[in-house]
Amino acid sequence: MAGHSKWANIQHRKGRQDAARSKLFSKLAKEITVAAKMGDPDPDKNPRLRLAVKEAKSNSCPKDVIDRAIKKAVGGDAENYEEIRYEGYGPNGIALVVEAMTDNRNRTASNVRSYFTKAGGDLGQTGSVSFMFDRVGEIMYPLSAGDADTVMLAAIEAGADDVETDEEGHWIYCADTALNEVSTALEAALGESETAKLIWKPQAPTEITDVETAQKLMKLIDTLEDDDDVQNVTGNFDLSEEVAAQL
């Protein structure tokens, strides 16, 4: 079992710290609204909506924000959001995948391009870096869910492909099309997970051992994440323990 990415650990903790921020809640609500608009407004009948609500709850998103987002879709008040993926290279050629949800493609494209340019990076074409990642489902359980062997056995029986355990918890990976099915099966065996979502998993992360490079990269990622249209940012890198400790 490989150790979970240091970058992912920092991102996970950062998500917890940012849980009170309205910007994060609005992004979670946007995903809920889009999911509800595309399918059934009942989470039990709509896998994408179920996962979106779960992710919102794991980030301490208030119930009224979740309910309002669903009602917005049902009432026909929701904007027509378009899902777009941007791909490019950040400082030191680190590949980044940026997932956005926008009602103005030109505005978002212009903003994302300028962020990359100002950071000394380069925005590429769709497909220019995504081949370095696998699109998979990621389900996270706290260490209290059981020991590594117990979780591994439950994951295999649920149809998962891989499990990584570290000091942060158990990270279970499955095919992107099987996320809802595997997540549901795991809940029956281990109880409710902390998170269950689709991610871009780097195939061979580049380890960053230089603090300056890491700081530049984090600044670009923070700038991207601060954009209201950007939902997620993923990079094909990991941080050495020494560098991670200095960020």
Side-chain angles (χ1 to χ4, degrees):
M1 290 181 293
H4 192 68
S5 164
K6 293 282 187 311
W7 155 238
N9 289 347
I10 288 173
Q11 195 178 40
H12 183 67
R13 288 194 293 272
K14 182 174 180 289
R16 289 279 176 269
Q17 291 162 2
D18 288 352
R21 287 175 37 185
S22 61
K23 187 182 285 286
L24 176 63
F25 290 163
S26 70
K27 292 188 181 194
L28 293 165
K30 189 189 285 189
E31 168 61 23
I32 290 170
T33 298
V34 169
K37 192 175 181 181
M38 289 174 68
D40 196 291
D42 180 356
D44 291 333
K45 299 175 184 175
N46 182 336
R48 178 170 174 175
L49 177 58
R50 176 175 173 271
L51 293 168
V53 169
K54 183 181 186 66
E55 186 64 15
K57 287 179 177 177
S58 77
N59 282 284
S60 307
C61 190
K63 187 175 183 297
D64 65 312
V65 172
I66 295 171
D67 292 342
R68 197 159 56 239
I70 294 175
K71 286 175 183 172
K72 194 175 180 183
V74 174
D77 301 326
E79 295 85 348
N80 288 316
Y81 290 115
E82 185 179 2
E83 293 179 274
I84 307 173
R85 186 175 81 239
Y86 299 98
E87 302 177 25
Y89 292 93
N92 275 38
I94 298 296
L96 295 173
V97 175
V98 181
E99 295 171 277
M101 210 176 269
T102 180
D103 56 359
N104 186 326
R105 177 190 279 260
N106 291 337
R107 175 192 67 221
T108 309
S110 175
N111 287 345
V112 170
R113 187 177 299 281
S114 75
Y115 302 148
F116 271 88
T117 302
K118 286 176 183 174
D122 183 37
L123 187 63
Q125 299 296 316
T126 301
S128 60
V129 305
S130 57
F131 67 90
M132 301 182 206
F133 300 79
D134 293 319
R135 186 64 165 164
V136 299
E138 180 187 73
I139 303 158
M140 187 268 184
Y141 275 91
L143 293 174
S144 58
D147 60 34
D149 289 341
T150 300
V151 173
M152 174 71 82
L153 186 60
I156 291 170
E157 290 179 349
D161 298 325
D162 191 22
V163 180
E164 297 177 5
T165 296
D166 63 12
E167 70 276 5
E168 294 281 328
H170 305 286
W171 310 82
I172 301 163
Y173 298 98
C174 63
D176 57 343
T177 54
L179 178 56
N180 187 58
E181 182 184 325
V182 173
S183 175
T184 301
L186 280 168
E187 277 188 21
L190 301 173
E192 191 166 352
S193 63
E194 281 207 7
T195 66
K197 58 188 177 183
L198 290 172
I199 65 161
W200 291 93
K201 191 171 188 284
Q203 294 167 357
T206 299
E207 184 170 42
I208 297 177
T209 56
D210 175 56
V211 176
E212 187 179 348
T213 298
Q215 288 174 335
K216 286 180 181 176
L217 191 57
M218 292 304 166
K219 185 177 180 183
L220 170 57
I221 290 171
D222 285 344
T223 301
L224 285 162
E225 288 181 338
D226 277 342
D227 190 292
D228 290 338
D229 296 334
V230 174
Q231 293 291 101
N232 298 295
V233 182
T234 310
N236 75 330
F237 66 95
D238 198 358
L239 303 171
S240 69
E241 290 190 15
E242 294 77 15
V243 170
Q246 294 182 61
L247 293 176

